[in-house]
Amino acid sequence: MSGLIGKKVGMTSIFDENGRNIPCTVIEAGPCIVTQVRTKEVDGYNALQLGFDDKAEKRANKSETGHFKKAGASPKKKVVEFRYFEGDHKLGDTLGVDLFVEGEFVDVSATSKGKGFQGVVKRHGFGGVGQATHGQHNRLRAPGSIGAASYPARVFKGMKMAGRMGGERVTVQNLKVLKVVPEKNLIVVKGAIPGHKNAYVTIEK
């Protein structure tokens, strides 16, 4: 699928032609450099490797420097492969936001914000006191009974309990492209996307 690497700028809202206020996310997408072209004959599959966001030369090791030099580009911070990329692209080509058009739908992937160790109310939406869950007594945000006794004498895998939350790879599908600003390499999509500000994202169509 065709796509680009980008960086989350932040959220805002715009008005549509009917005067409705639509929440949206601004993404700085590209320009991305084609750093490698994978083919079925050589690599066993077809894909396009793109690089985004310049890295200081002194922070790149020799293998990275040599890899990007083949494409005639400076070292990049983020490299992503896109399989079955549409169109014929060569090593060193530059791709920008003109890959997308207003009105089409895209999928955006990123690593969600890490929220640390959280309890069951925040992590799984348990009700707590007032909407007392089974086994609940007088502790506002405790999970209550988890159902184990002498049989099965263990906790089933996948039981909803407290634990680390966030920091996972998340894909939000079918986000409408509201606006494309080629001169500033910006793309505006409807709704929210995962990740903090300045987080790297991949946009696929």
Side-chain angles (χ1 to χ4, degrees):
M1 297 172 71
S2 300
L4 284 180
I5 313 167
K7 191 183 284 187
K8 181 176 177 179
V9 175
M11 289 195 71
T12 183
S13 61
I14 60 176
F15 291 93
D16 66 3
E17 60 276 4
N18 298 317
R20 290 178 299 181
N21 194 12
I22 301 174
C24 54
T25 307
V26 182
I27 305 170
E28 181 190 342
C32 296
I33 307 294
V34 178
T35 53
Q36 191 171 1
V37 179
R38 296 197 181 274
T39 59
K40 197 164 182 82
E41 298 75 38
V42 177
D43 305 288
Y45 63 98
N46 294 316
L48 217 59
Q49 185 190 89
L50 302 183
F52 172 69
D53 206 5
D54 290 336
K55 179 196 283 189
E57 292 273 356
K58 65 180 181 180
R59 300 207 176 274
N61 57 37
K62 285 187 177 181
S63 59
E64 286 178 332
T65 305
H67 179 73
F68 291 113
K69 192 174 283 186
K70 287 180 183 176
S74 59
K76 303 296 178 185
K77 289 182 181 178
K78 186 71 174 175
V79 176
V80 177
E81 277 190 7
F82 294 86
R83 289 203 176 196
Y84 311 113
F85 208 98
E86 294 173 5
D88 186 25
H89 300 284
K90 299 182 178 63
L91 194 66
D93 284 358
T94 301
L95 304 177
V97 287
D98 49 5
L99 196 70
F100 304 104
V101 294
E102 295 178 9
E104 70 178 346
F105 292 86
V106 295
D107 299 340
V108 180
S109 303
T111 302
S112 63
K113 288 182 181 178
K115 293 177 172 61
F117 194 98
Q118 298 296 332
V120 291
V121 172
K122 184 177 178 75
R123 193 180 187 209
H124 298 295
F126 280 22
V129 169
Q131 303 172 17
T133 51
H134 176 69
Q136 180 65 276
H137 177 46
N138 60 354
R139 294 160 298 159
L140 277 171
R141 301 171 73 87
S145 171
I146 58 172
S150 58
Y151 177 83
R154 66 189 177 90
V155 178
F156 288 115
K157 284 185 177 180
M159 180 72 67
K160 290 182 178 179
M161 301 178 80
R164 283 187 64 174
M165 182 181 176
E168 300 174 327
R169 191 73 176 165
V170 179
T171 300
V172 181
Q173 295 181 311
N174 297 324
L175 294 176
K176 188 176 183 179
V177 177
L178 298 178
K179 189 177 272 189
V180 177
V181 189
E183 58 272 15
K184 293 186 178 179
N185 299 313
L186 297 178
I187 178 174
V188 181
V189 296
K190 184 178 179 180
I193 65 172
H196 55 80
K197 287 181 182 179
N198 292 321
Y200 290 115
V201 302
T202 55
I203 313 157
E204 293 183 313
K205 65 173 184 175

